[in-house]
Amino acid sequence: MRKNINILFAAAFLFGMASCTDLDVDVKSQYTEYPSDSEVAIEAKMADVYYAFRSALGNNYNRTQTLSSDEATGISFDGDYYDGGTYCHLSLHNFMPSDGGLSYWTDLSSGITRCNQVINDFGGDEADPTIVAPAKAMRAFYHFILMDSFGDVPILDAIPDEDEAIERAPRADVARFIESELIDCLPYLSEENNAATYGKPNKWMAEALLVKLYINWPVYTCGDVTTYEPSMANEKLADCVRYCDEIIQSGLFNLDYDYRRKFFPDNGDQVKDFIYAMPFDCTSAQGMYYGRYRTFRRIDDGNGGYYGGEMGNSCAGNYAMNPEFSDLFTLAGDERNNCVLRDTVYKFDGATYEPTDEVFLYQNELPLVLTKTITLKEVNDQLNTGADFDGWRQGYRSIKFYPNPMEYREHSRNQSNDVPIFRYADILLTKAEAILRGATATNGDSPLSLFNQIRSYVNAPLLEQDPTLDDILDERGREFFDENWRRNDMIRFGTFESEYGFHTQGFPTARFDKECRVFPVPQDVLNANTNWKQNPGY
């Protein structure tokens, strides 16, 4: 079933808008003759603003967040998928300014420019706040992702003059700008949560972003990333809980949806766990490639592929789940376990996506048995497991964002799985964490009751006493893996410098420096801004 998400794109075409993937537009020449009182025109103009992050979220951003965390290792196969180290550098925290995965800085800065252009077109400081509030909320979101990833970044709240030198602002100042921007927007953002607001910024998206900002407040405002400690006081915990409560008490969100199915290719606004998601469609909203990197390298060299049909296009197969992370998926009855492909691989039904009892046979002969441990041919930074059957089957694999083989085959590896960015489940676990960190409990909620709401809907064992912070971190790993929050969580909990995968003491080129809590500024960005200095440690 094709998701109907293209109204804005049709309107954008009719009004002659530039594509949201065209990053080299002369923004000052755009939209000079717009009927600003037309709702269709407003929505058409906003389309570029809403979806500027789509390409990055569907590939490079997911790569950097996944492989720099304990979720997975980026392996290679005798040089195949080494690609200059763009995957293994992330896995070893040996981040390089030239790594291609960091290119999403450009997507985000382009998105901010588009926000500023729209705000300017509708009157700038004199604009109707109900019209420009969505653009301001997106501007805050793009600043947040940049700041979270790279630390000190420019605060771009207007279109700079042509010859104006852009300066980076301290991370703490960027955090305060994001906070101010979102609070100013809240009264003017829609409180609706339905098909019409799906994938767009509304009040609940902005509040969920504030929750993320506040739970990480000590990380973002400590001044020097190397000095952050999880024991630091957080002055924003009460505010964090307050916005969690507003989302909870809205009654618009719930957990009443099968865990696996909420990430299937036909997901969408019917999933009321999704507060804010990025819509993808394999034909008209392309760029989602999670399945490509998590699927067995030679899946079509077998009896029809294990997804219930041949993929038709090659799969990378180089995101291998770290053994330590796979240990999280062992709770009795936990439905999230079914999102991890492990040991002997069985084929799935192509229509229902449910597993069958038919073993997948490589070359119609060898049962595919994925190994929990990852064995390298030699100890070096290529993380090479070998370009043969034994090399390709190293590590368990995530099938959380299950790819439809027909879509993958006929539409150049694109998937239609929407990617959630903020979820109701996250709000519940964040409130539990905030209370454990010292916030006052509200509305009869306790860390235990909030935590067990998550355990209950996935049929995992309930706790009998309040969770610890370690329990919260582990549960966040189970609940939100592949959703681009693990690195963020690990830094906040103080485990980012821990050992996992091949990120171990003594492994060549593995880094444990706390400067690695932010990525290096991409080299092409530095080349374009010669007045900037590289982040410390790079």
Side-chain angles (χ1 to χ4, degrees):
M1 181 177 67
R2 181 71 61 240
K3 289 178 283 191
N4 183 22
I5 61 172
N6 301 307
I7 295 173
L8 288 180
F9 292 94
F13 177 79
L14 289 173
F15 282 89
M17 289 184 63
S19 164
C20 65
T21 60
D22 180 5
L23 303 182
D24 298 318
V25 295
D26 178 3
V27 294
K28 292 191 177 184
S29 70
Q30 301 296 306
Y31 324 126
T32 55
E33 297 293 335
Y34 251 84
S36 60
D37 58 346
S38 164
E39 184 175 345
V40 174
I42 293 170
E43 284 294 274
K45 190 181 292 191
M46 288 291 186
D48 257 12
V49 166
Y50 296 152
Y51 307 122
F53 190 45
R54 174 179 279 136
S55 176
L57 182 64
N59 193 350
N60 285 336
Y61 182 72
N62 177 253
R63 178 190 307 175
T64 61
Q65 304 307 308
T66 297
L67 297 182
S68 65
S69 78
D70 62 353
E71 289 183 351
T73 290
I75 57 178
S76 68
F77 314 109
D78 288 344
D80 187 21
Y81 276 93
Y82 175 65
D83 291 0
T86 188
Y87 305 101
C88 66
H89 291 164
L90 290 165
S91 303
L92 299 170
H93 290 193
N94 188 27
F95 311 132
M96 300 286 183
S98 58
D99 287 338
L102 300 177
S103 64
Y104 63 88
W105 177 303
T106 304
D107 298 76
L108 293 162
S109 61
S110 176
I112 292 170
T113 297
R114 293 172 188 277
C115 292
N116 286 331
Q117 183 64 54
V118 166
I119 294 167
N120 185 67
D121 288 348
F122 285 118
D125 292 339
E126 305 302 320
D128 182 343
T130 61
I131 294 178
V132 298
K136 289 187 174 183
M138 290 307 301
R139 184 169 69 183
F141 173 71
Y142 296 145
H143 276 88
F144 174 85
I145 299 296
L146 269 178
M147 176 268 297
D148 178 77
S149 296
F150 300 102
D152 297 352
V153 298
I155 296 175
L156 298 172
D157 57 355
I159 299 173
D161 293 333
E162 185 173 347
D163 297 325
E164 181 179 349
I166 305 300
E167 300 292 344
R168 296 165 70 189
R171 197 185 206 187
D173 291 351
V174 182
R176 295 184 184 99
F177 165 74
I178 295 166
E179 176 188 34
S180 175
E181 187 94 324
L182 292 171
I183 290 174
D184 288 347
C185 287
L186 283 178
Y188 306 106
L189 290 168
S190 173
E191 295 188 16
E192 297 294 322
N193 184 65
N194 50 39
T197 64
Y198 185 74
K200 305 174 189 176
N202 58 11
K203 174 182 177 180
W204 315 111
M205 174 271 196
E207 291 195 341
L209 179 51
L210 280 168
V211 167
K212 283 290 185 187
L213 183 70
Y214 288 150
I215 197 65
N216 289 288
W217 195 254
V219 178
Y220 299 146
T221 60
C222 64
D224 178 347
V225 294
T226 67
T227 64
Y228 168 74
E229 296 293 340
S231 59
M232 285 182 170
N234 185 340
E235 63 180 308
K236 296 293 186 178
L237 288 177
D239 293 316
C240 182
V241 168
R242 176 162 60 91
Y243 286 115
C244 286
D245 283 343
E246 288 198 15
I247 293 169
I248 294 168
Q249 293 174 337
S250 73
L252 295 170
F253 307 98
N254 59 62
L255 301 175
D256 298 335
Y257 211 84
D258 178 79
Y259 186 84
R260 279 191 70 223
R261 296 202 66 85
K262 74 173 71 174
F263 306 102
F264 278 178
D266 60 354
N267 63 354
D269 64 275
Q270 75 273 20
V271 183
K272 297 306 177 186
D273 182 27
F274 292 0
I275 297 173
Y276 175 59
M278 181 63 69
F280 284 91
D281 182 275
C282 66
T283 60
S284 58
Q286 296 182 334
M288 201 291 192
Y289 298 112
Y290 290 15
R292 176 183 182 183
Y293 297 98
R294 295 167 171 86
T295 298
F296 178 62
R297 182 78 176 98
R298 303 300 288 269
I299 188 173
D300 281 348
D301 293 351
N303 52 336
Y306 55 70
Y307 289 124
E310 292 195 356
M311 304 299 275
N313 291 291
S314 66
C315 299
N318 63 324
Y319 289 14
M321 185 173 287
N322 285 321
E324 301 89 345
F325 193 75
S326 70
D327 286 339
L328 295 178
F329 299 92
T330 55
L331 295 177
D334 190 341
E335 293 176 6
R336 298 168 298 194
N337 298 345
N338 299 325
C339 293
V340 178
L341 209 59
R342 71 188 81 203
D343 304 323
T344 300
V345 175
Y346 292 84
K347 296 177 68 173
F348 290 80
D349 185 288
T352 65
Y353 307 148
E354 295 301 322
T356 70
D357 59 2
E358 181 182 357
V359 174
F360 173 76
L361 300 176
Y362 171 67
Q363 294 185 340
N364 293 305
E365 181 179 348
L366 297 174
L368 175 58
V369 180
L370 299 175
T371 65
K372 178 179 178 180
T373 58
I374 304 170
T375 303
L376 303 181
K377 290 182 68 174
E378 53 187 327
V379 179
N380 60 42
D381 69 355
Q382 291 196 25
L383 303 183
N384 176 28
T385 61
D388 55 21
F389 179 62
D390 282 337
W392 295 322
R393 67 190 183 96
Q394 298 290 316
Y396 293 166
R397 305 304 166 94
S398 167
I399 56 169
K400 181 172 178 176
F401 287 93
Y402 188 103
N404 179 316
M406 182 278 293
E407 293 182 346
Y408 192 95
R409 180 174 63 249
E410 298 185 9
H411 300 287
S412 303
R413 302 186 181 93
N414 280 279
Q415 298 177 232
S416 294
N417 314 62
D418 295 350
V419 177
I421 297 171
F422 302 131
R423 289 208 278 130
Y424 182 66
D426 200 343
I427 297 301
L428 297 179
L429 281 178
T430 302
K431 182 178 180 181
E433 179 185 339
I435 295 171
L436 286 174
R437 292 188 184 277
T440 300
T442 59
N443 301 326
D445 291 330
S446 67
L448 180 64
S449 67
L450 293 161
F451 188 95
N452 276 342
Q453 286 185 60
I454 304 299
R455 285 288 182 92
S456 179
Y457 99 97
V458 296
N459 295 313
L462 303 183
L463 296 189
E464 296 182 357
Q465 58 187 13
D466 274 347
T468 64
L469 285 173
D470 287 343
D471 291 332
I472 294 286
L473 179 61
D474 285 351
E475 198 68 15
R476 293 188 63 82
R478 297 182 186 97
E479 184 67 21
F480 305 114
F481 72 106
D482 289 353
E483 295 181 50
N484 307 299
W485 288 115
R486 186 64 173 175
R487 168 186 161 273
N488 177 285
D489 289 342
M490 294 180 72
I491 292 170
R492 181 172 73 258
F493 280 83
T495 62
F496 193 62
E497 290 80 37
S498 300
E499 295 185 283
Y500 40 84
F502 296 105
H503 182 249
T504 57
Q505 296 288 345
F507 193 92
T509 72
R511 291 189 60 183
F512 294 83
D513 309 277
K514 292 182 178 180
E515 287 92 346
C516 295
R517 291 171 177 177
V518 295
F519 297 121
V521 179
Q523 189 59 51
D524 59 347
V525 174
L526 280 181
N527 292 344
N529 297 274
T530 55
N531 55 313
W532 292 5
K533 293 182 179 179
Q534 182 56 270
N535 282 335
Y538 299 105

